[in-house]
Amino acid sequence: MIRLRTGRLERVVAVGAHCDDIAIGAGGTLLTLCRAHPGLRVDALVLSGGGTEREQEEQEALAAFCPGADVRLTVEKLPDGRLPAHWAEAKAAVEELRALTEPDLVLAPRTEDAHQDHRGVAKLMTTAFRDHLVLGYEIVKWDGDLGRPVVYQPLAPDTAEDKVRLLQEHYPSQRHRPWYDREAFLGLARIRGIESNARYAEAFAVTKLTVDLGG
């Protein structure tokens, strides 16, 4: 297991198709990043849920998941489950985000995600952010689409616990879902931890990665 480290991060982009996607897929990573890099700017874009109770949930959740960060959140109003039919609007939102920032890291869904909204966002990210490190987060679901990740962010045990707690606190609209519980979130983190020689971890896919071994 090779561990690569970055220098100081100043800007991160986080994108989701739905409110709670970012927190479920990369909440532990955001907590880790923001605690390690005070003042980090986080530009977040969510393509659905605007104008609903879910937008308020997302605002409060990302503030909690990004302690000490400069969080700039935009929540669009595209219909849940219909992103492919609103491709032009989704692409415009992503391109607008791209014009606002030059991030050190991009967190977004995986291109292999079975949900059409997640998959659509992932495809947009790799074209809008061509020269950036784009890590594709995973979201456990009924489809059984979890793959074999290649990138891991170890999570301290208290960070993993904080992630689960914040998910339960800040997304009350999702608590009725049978998969939305502590066992699911912490269980996946434990499995990814085993795979990366850690107690807990979040895992990511990467479409393309360039290294400079002579730098």
Side-chain angles (χ1 to χ4, degrees):
M1 178 68 65
I2 299 174
R3 296 202 176 200
L4 301 178
R5 297 180 182 273
T6 67
R8 175 166 177 80
L9 298 180
E10 296 183 354
R11 294 192 175 198
V12 172
V13 159
V15 178
H18 317 101
C19 297
D20 78 13
D21 284 355
I22 295 170
I24 291 174
T29 296
L30 284 175
L31 283 167
T32 301
L33 285 172
C34 293
R35 288 167 175 170
H37 303 279
L40 182 71
R41 173 170 163 176
V42 179
D43 290 283
L45 170 65
V46 178
L47 292 175
S48 65
T52 71
E53 65 173 354
R54 302 213 63 198
E55 179 175 4
Q56 183 63 34
E57 288 181 345
E58 189 74 348
Q59 290 175 342
E60 295 176 359
L62 287 187
F65 274 101
C66 302
D70 176 11
V71 181
R72 307 184 185 190
L73 170 65
T74 300
V75 182
E76 300 288 348
K77 298 181 180 181
L78 300 186
D80 186 353
R82 299 290 185 271
L83 187 145
H86 296 266
W87 188 256
E89 297 98 314
K91 182 175 178 60
V94 170
E95 293 290 353
E96 182 176 347
L97 171 65
R98 173 67 186 92
L100 293 174
T101 184
E102 191 67 46
D104 302 303
L105 172 66
V106 178
L107 301 170
R110 301 179 302 130
T111 55
E112 300 84 4
D113 197 298
H115 194 295
Q116 67 273 12
D117 290 355
H118 300 170
R119 192 168 59 250
V121 173
K123 291 179 179 178
L124 286 170
M125 300 307 293
T126 55
T127 56
F129 293 88
R130 290 179 180 271
D131 299 319
H132 302 80
L133 176 59
V134 180
L135 298 183
Y137 56 72
E138 57 185 355
I139 296 178
V140 65
K141 62 179 75 67
W142 174 88
D143 305 83
D145 62 349
L146 294 179
R148 187 173 183 178
V150 295
V151 179
Y152 296 85
Q153 170 59 55
L155 303 179
D158 60 338
T159 299
E161 292 285 355
D162 286 345
K163 173 185 175 177
V164 173
R165 175 179 56 80
L166 292 175
L167 284 171
Q168 292 293 336
E169 285 181 6
H170 290 287
Y171 296 103
S173 67
Q174 304 304 298
R175 292 175 190 155
H176 69 283
R177 299 185 182 278
W179 54 268
Y180 197 91
D181 60 27
R182 172 186 169 82
E183 290 180 340
F185 299 133
L186 207 58
L188 180 58
R190 180 67 184 113
I191 290 170
R192 297 316 189 199
I194 292 170
E195 295 172 350
S196 57
N197 197 29
R199 181 64 185 176
Y200 299 106
E202 286 179 338
F204 302 88
V206 62
T207 302
K208 188 179 292 186
L209 174 66
T210 300
V211 298
D212 181 2
L213 300 178

